[in-house]
């Protein structure tokens, strides 16, 4: 649950150029639309009070699918400074995500025989949410995180962190210092990479002989099944199936030998990969997921093309849900100032007249405003002050955690709702 667009400074190419209209994985021309969400502000560009008097920049949010390699992707239209000058996402504010990280760390130590002689490196290490668990087990760690304000939190925790973007140049630099990864972790970062070739080549360089690469990302199959269009935003350049990810890794000498299916982020995959020549056997889990993708029609470009129509139906249902609540006099607020919520609200055109405010636990977001909709972000205590009728959980992937932490809402008759795949009240 990290943030990161890993490429060197400078402008990304204008999407109107011929170069930008080619697949970032296989360079084939892109012509087929997955979904067009119009123009929106950057999903993590939260506003201060002074920003409310200025217009916000907006960018096209148009996802396409490559007919050749079936990678879903959007155009890269922003620069690193647009995304990371003041980054507001800190992984440790999600209890369930920290627990997920702890469980992985404990399992990985046993599964891969990690000891004090090993090294764990995480790309997009955020605030040290994962590496802290290896560090406590006295396994040497190193984080690589480009957002300086976030990396500072990890460093203050005692987690060694390099504040830089990742690619071949960084990998070569680290290897020149005799740093190699016995376990190399890249959680929820592959989607944030505009230059896949440079990033994956860097992974191959940094991985020690016999080492394991662990990559987590939201599974495109689950995105399609659950109409999770709100997970599409400008930081997420690519959206992966196992098939498309496997092809990207194989092009750089990396082989997927096992796949874990996860519940995180609405349904994710954890790919375990090794060097192509490794004698690690390939687990049956790899073929099982590939077969599930084929059975769902993910080998057929027409399956991707149909997604846009399902998103339009979801939008109509959501608008009806919000407007019916307003007409019935029910007060509604949002929970979770997450990027996915900003995509959803801007696509809907919903503002503070429908959601009076959005609650978020992170003090780094409180007191600011959502991009585009300009809905105020407040601490959870506001719920007990205003007693809303409906709490729409924009961070729907954390619905169980949110309802458990704020079960007192039911005390005044308040109810929780989720927006997708269709709006519904959660029992």
């Amino acid at each position: 649950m990290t943030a990161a667009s890993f490429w060197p400074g400078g402008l990304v190419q204008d999407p109107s150029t011929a170069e930008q209209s080619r697949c970032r994985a296989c360079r084939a021309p892109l012509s087929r639309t997955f979904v067009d969400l119009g123009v929106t502000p950057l999903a993590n560009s939260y506003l201060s009070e002074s920003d409310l008097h200025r217009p916000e920049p907006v960018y096209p949010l148009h996802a396409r699918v490559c007919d050749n390699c079936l990678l879903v992707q959007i155009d890269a239209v922003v620069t690193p400074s647009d995304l990371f000058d003041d980054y507001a996402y800190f992984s440790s504010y999600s209890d369930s995500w920290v627990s997920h990280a702890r469980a992985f760390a404990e399992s990985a130590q046993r599964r891969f025989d990690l000891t004090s002689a090993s090294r764990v490196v995480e790309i997009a290490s955020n605030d040290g949410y994962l590496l802290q668990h290896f560090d406590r087990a006295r396994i040497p760690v190193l984080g690589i995180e480009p957002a300086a304000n976030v990396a500072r939190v990890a460093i203050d925790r005692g987690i060694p962190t390099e504040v830089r973007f990742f690619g071949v140049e960084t990998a070569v630099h680290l290897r020149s210092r005799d740093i190699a990864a016995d376990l190399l972790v890249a959680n929820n970062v592959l989607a944030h990479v505009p230059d896949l070739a440079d990033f994956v080549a860097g992974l191959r360089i940094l991985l020690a002989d016999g080492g394991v690469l662990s990559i987590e990302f939201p599974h495109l199959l689950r995105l399609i099944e659950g109409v999770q269009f709100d997970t599409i935003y400008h930081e997420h350049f690519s959206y992966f199936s196992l098939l498309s990810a496997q092809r990207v890794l194989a092009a750089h000498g990396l082989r997927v030998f096992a796949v874990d299916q996860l519940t995180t982020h609405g349904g994710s995959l954890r790919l375990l990969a090794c060097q192509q020549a490794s004698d690690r056997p390939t687990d049956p889990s790899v073929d099982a997921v590939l077969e599930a993708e084929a059975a769902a029609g993910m080998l057929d470009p027409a399956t991707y093309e149909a997604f846009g129509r399902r998103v339009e139906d979801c939008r109509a249902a959501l608008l009806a849900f919000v407007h019916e609540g307003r007409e019935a006099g029910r007060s509604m607020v949002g929970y979770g100032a997450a990027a996915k919520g900003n995509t959803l609200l801007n696509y809907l055109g919903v503002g503070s007249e429908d959601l009076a405010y959005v609650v978020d636990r992170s003090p780094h977001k409180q007191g600011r405003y959502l991009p585009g909709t300009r809905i105020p972000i407040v601490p959870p205590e506001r719920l007990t002050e205003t007693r809303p009728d409906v709490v729409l959980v924009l961070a729907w992937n954390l619905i169980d955690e949110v309802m458990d932490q704020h079960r007192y809402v039911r005390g005044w008759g308040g109810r929780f709702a989720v927006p997708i795949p269709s709006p519904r009240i959660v029992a």
Side-chain angles (χ1 to χ4, degrees), residues 82-157:
D82 288 322
L83 298 172
F84 295 106
D85 182 53
D86 182 22
Y87 200 68
Y89 181 76
F90 292 75
S91 295
S92 293
Y93 286 103
S94 170
D95 293 343
S96 60
W97 184 250
V98 174
S99 295
H100 171 77
R102 182 187 301 111
F104 170 72
E106 292 171 354
S107 172
Q109 290 174 56
R110 299 188 298 270
R111 190 171 186 177
F112 307 124
D113 298 320
L114 301 175
T115 70
S116 59
S118 308
R119 186 186 297 274
V120 177
V121 179
E122 184 181 15
I123 314 298
S125 51
N126 201 263
D127 58 10
Y129 76 101
L130 170 66
L131 292 180
Q132 63 181 338
H133 303 300
F134 291 104
D135 183 64
R136 289 169 188 163
R138 301 185 183 279
I139 297 172
V141 300
L142 177 67
I144 302 171
E145 170 58 51
N149 65 315
V150 179
R152 193 174 305 115
V153 175
I155 293 169
D156 289 344
R157 284 177 168 171

Side-chain angles (χ1 to χ4, degrees), residues 172-183:
V172 170
H173 171 73
L174 293 174
R175 290 305 296 257
S176 73
R177 292 160 48 192
D178 293 325
I179 295 174
D182 299 292
L183 175 61

